[in-house]
Amino acid sequence: MQPATAKWYDRRDSVFIEFCVEDSKDVQVNFDKSKIDFSCVSGTDNIKHQNTVDLFGEIDPKESKHRRTDRSVLCCLRKAEAGKSWPRLTKDKTKCNWLSVDFNNWKDWEDDSDEDLSSFDKFSEMMNSMGGDDLPDLDGADDEHDSADSDDEKMPDLE
């Protein structure tokens, strides 16, 4: 038995833990109000993983969920007290060598006023603000320019 490598990040009403195990089988995730137990068998070598995490804060075990993919097991822990930030995942300040912060998904949501926008809405808003109106219509080619290829123009000489 060895602990699975994991990454975590904090949100206003949930904490996410991703256990990075490929081709996992026999996945067991047990949520308790102050801890999570994770175990599985992974890979072609059938390596047994087990992690027990005493959590920094309390969660709602009934509202917490997990989802298995081919590359990992993602756990969504619903906070018992939404709006309270978790400075760390574990109750103790000890460093776990198998655990790291997921900086790709981390954000300081305490200062964020538009938290209610989902990531997709923010992405769409960003794309719209980039001036998509002046993009050429790529669906239909202009019939009158079918024979002319813009790449055939003479290039200016290099200085």
Side-chain angles (χ1 to χ4, degrees):
M1 288 273 201
Q2 66 184 46
T5 303
K7 301 183 289 187
W8 81 283
Y9 61 98
D10 184 30
R11 285 291 190 267
R12 188 174 304 279
D13 58 357
S14 301
V15 173
F16 294 86
I17 308 172
E18 183 175 15
F19 292 98
C20 306
V21 285
E22 293 190 16
D23 301 325
S24 58
K25 300 179 285 273
D26 303 329
V27 174
Q28 298 279 324
V29 182
N30 296 315
F31 301 107
D32 187 55
K33 67 178 186 175
S34 60
K35 93 176 174 182
I36 176 177
D37 286 310
F38 169 82
S39 65
C40 75
V41 176
S42 74
T44 54
D45 298 337
N46 290 326
I47 299 169
K48 293 180 180 176
H49 297 283
Q50 182 171 4
N51 299 63
T52 299
V53 183
D54 290 319
L55 299 169
F56 173 81
E58 290 192 354
I59 62 169
D60 182 348
K62 292 184 181 118
E63 291 294 316
S64 299
K65 300 178 174 79
H66 75 279
R67 188 184 74 215
R68 185 204 159 278
T69 67
D70 288 341
R71 297 185 155 271
S72 66
V73 177
L74 181 64
C75 299
C76 174
L77 312 179
R78 182 69 67 175
K79 291 180 182 177
E81 191 177 337
K84 184 179 177 192
S85 122
W86 288 22
R88 62 185 179 276
L89 179 66
T90 58
K91 183 178 184 178
D92 299 325
K93 286 187 177 183
T94 57
K95 172 97 173 103
C96 301
N97 60 356
W98 53 267
L99 181 65
S100 64
V101 173
D102 187 350
F103 287 108
N104 291 336
N105 288 307
W106 189 270
K107 67 185 253 180
D108 289 328
W109 53 261
E110 292 172 304
D111 304 329
D112 193 9
S113 59
D114 44 282
E115 172 67 24
D116 51 316
L117 281 179
S118 71
S119 298
F120 181 77
D121 291 337
K122 288 182 182 179
F123 178 74
S124 298
E125 190 176 274
M126 179 186 75
M127 293 304 285
N128 290 338
S129 68
M130 292 174 70
D133 295 334
D134 58 351
L135 292 175
D137 180 16
L138 300 177
D139 292 338
D142 288 342
D143 292 335
E144 58 196 61
H145 295 297
D146 279 347
S147 61
D149 188 354
S150 63
D151 290 347
D152 291 342
E153 295 173 11
K154 184 176 186 313
M155 295 290 292
D157 293 332
L158 295 176
E159 295 180 13

